[in-house]
Amino acid sequence: MSNKSIALQSAEYKLLLTGFTEWLQLLNYSPLSIPVYATALKDFLQYQEQNNKPSIEQLHAPDAQAFILQLQDKTGQRTGRPLSHKHINKYIQALLLFSKYIRQTGRSVIGLSLQRLEEATTKPVWLTTTEIQKLYDVTAQTILGIRDKAMLAVYYGCGLRLNEGACLELQDIDSTKKVLHVRKGKGYKERFVPVAEKNFEAIKLYLDHARPQLLQQVRTTAFFIDANRGRPMQKQSLYVRVKQLAKKAKIKKKVGTHTLRHSIATHLLQSGMKLERIQQFLGHGDLDSTQIYTHLLNDAT
């Protein structure tokens, strides 16, 4: 990213950057993503200034492509290596959003057409049903053990992402329909996730017996409660707890909450569930993201 000490010179561009940032906020983009996109746009606007184009009226579609091409020729200040495709794709995504912003707000009719670069992908790790059973087997017959089973029910049984599970609240558990209401999914998308009977029993046992004891004097609607302070569990604590279970179960693979998500998706596919239903279950924005599990199965056979 750019050196933050370098300021834009064009007053028009400064207003444009502010407007773009506020637009992203209105669209409920993640507070973590907004600064990344804003910084990337700032870099592009500085590039335009350096090329004597300090006004939106001087913007042309090829400018964006030229900016991306010069990024591909750059090397990282710390690594000395070319910028990764993943890094450059953040710029591409920012410019595509900027293109949408200027057209929607009437600032320009120019459309910036850019193609994302292919990123090097690593195949996700998943556990066999035997390994999943080992995780359940090492949960203790204690208050924390009951909470551990509820965590496995949420992250494996329901396939939630780490943040989705951390953001669960009491009102998100529909005991009548036996579904979880995921209100804060990726991209702020909501979905309802069905809970299998065995997983629902684990969740209910936690709610009825373990959670009240963990709460102490704290009043909160958070689903997962910290053992020491009676407060909502943070994402890192949930992640670490899953890793501790995997270590206790002597599973050699690198295990985290997302491993459980990959595992349930793979097992559902093995059981014959259609990709479209798995896509809905996981909350994937497109089917391409779900297709990875067919490759996992092919590699395993």
Side-chain angles (χ1 to χ4, degrees), residues 10-264:
S10 166
E12 181 181 345
Y13 279 174
K14 289 178 184 177
L15 289 173
L16 205 58
L17 182 60
T18 300
F20 175 69
T21 304
E22 292 173 348
W23 179 73
L24 291 176
Q25 292 169 342
L26 286 172
L27 292 178
N28 284 326
Y29 273 82
S30 165
L32 298 176
S33 299
I34 291 174
V36 175
Y37 293 144
T39 304
L41 176 60
K42 179 184 173 185
D43 286 353
F44 172 66
L45 296 177
Q46 287 176 337
Y47 170 81
Q48 289 291 90
E49 287 182 339
Q50 292 165 4
N51 285 279
N52 298 315
K53 295 181 178 181
S55 170
I56 189 69
E57 292 181 357
Q58 295 169 298
L59 174 66
H60 301 290
D63 294 340
Q65 188 63 54
F67 172 69
I68 297 300
L69 287 173
Q70 61 91 31
L71 283 181
Q72 291 178 267
D73 289 334
K74 283 189 174 182
T75 55
Q77 290 182 349
R78 287 178 297 179
T79 65
R81 296 194 298 267
L83 301 179
S84 69
H85 284 191
K86 182 177 181 181
H87 184 77
I88 295 174
N89 278 337
K90 292 177 182 177
Y91 283 88
I92 292 175
Q93 180 63 18
L95 291 179
L96 291 174
L97 286 169
F98 176 62
S99 178
K100 189 175 181 181
Y101 164 69
I102 58 177
R103 283 183 281 118
Q104 283 191 355
T105 56
R107 285 165 171 76
S108 176
V109 295
I110 295 294
L112 305 179
S113 179
L114 296 167
Q115 294 293 323
R116 289 174 60 87
L117 305 179
E118 186 175 343
E119 296 179 16
T121 57
T122 54
K123 292 178 181 177
V125 175
W126 59 283
L127 304 180
T128 64
T129 53
T130 301
E131 289 168 329
I132 290 292
Q133 187 58 51
K134 285 182 179 179
L135 291 179
Y136 279 96
D137 289 343
V138 297
T139 56
Q141 299 300 315
T142 62
I143 296 302
L144 293 184
I146 293 173
R147 191 188 64 184
D148 287 338
K149 283 189 174 70
M151 286 172 54
L152 292 175
V154 167
Y155 287 116
Y156 170 70
C158 299
L160 266 61
R161 299 178 177 93
L162 176 58
N163 188 60
E164 292 171 347
C167 291
L168 273 181
E169 298 192 2
L170 295 181
Q171 61 265 33
D172 299 330
I173 316 299
D174 190 328
S175 298
T176 304
K177 297 180 180 178
K178 295 182 179 177
V179 297
L180 297 187
H181 185 185
V182 180
R183 300 174 189 273
K184 296 183 179 180
K186 192 173 182 180
Y188 285 82
K189 294 178 181 177
E190 296 185 34
R191 73 182 186 281
F192 290 92
V193 180
V195 186
E197 186 64 35
K198 183 179 177 181
N199 293 317
F200 186 77
E201 288 174 3
I203 289 172
K204 194 75 168 61
L205 183 65
Y206 166 72
L207 286 175
D208 292 345
H209 298 286
R211 187 180 180 278
Q213 295 187 57
L214 291 169
L215 265 179
Q216 301 174 25
Q217 301 300 315
V218 179
R219 298 182 65 181
T220 176
T221 58
F223 180 75
F224 285 117
I225 303 300
D226 188 279
N228 299 320
R229 299 171 298 169
R231 296 177 181 174
M233 284 186 78
Q234 300 300 306
K235 290 189 296 184
Q236 186 64 21
S237 297
L238 289 161
Y239 180 80
V240 168
R241 190 68 182 177
V242 169
K243 290 189 75 67
Q244 289 172 340
L245 284 177
K247 185 177 180 180
K248 191 176 178 181
K250 297 181 179 179
I251 296 172
K252 302 299 182 183
K253 296 174 182 176
K254 188 176 180 181
V255 178
T257 51
H258 224 67
T259 314
L260 302 181
R261 177 174 161 88
H262 291 319
S263 301
I264 186 61

Side-chain angles (χ1 to χ4, degrees), residues 281-298:
F281 178 79
L282 296 175
H284 282 159
D286 56 69
L287 199 58
D288 288 344
S289 300
T290 319
Q291 290 279 2
I292 183 65
Y293 300 110
T294 61
H295 301 307
L296 292 182
L297 283 184
N298 290 337

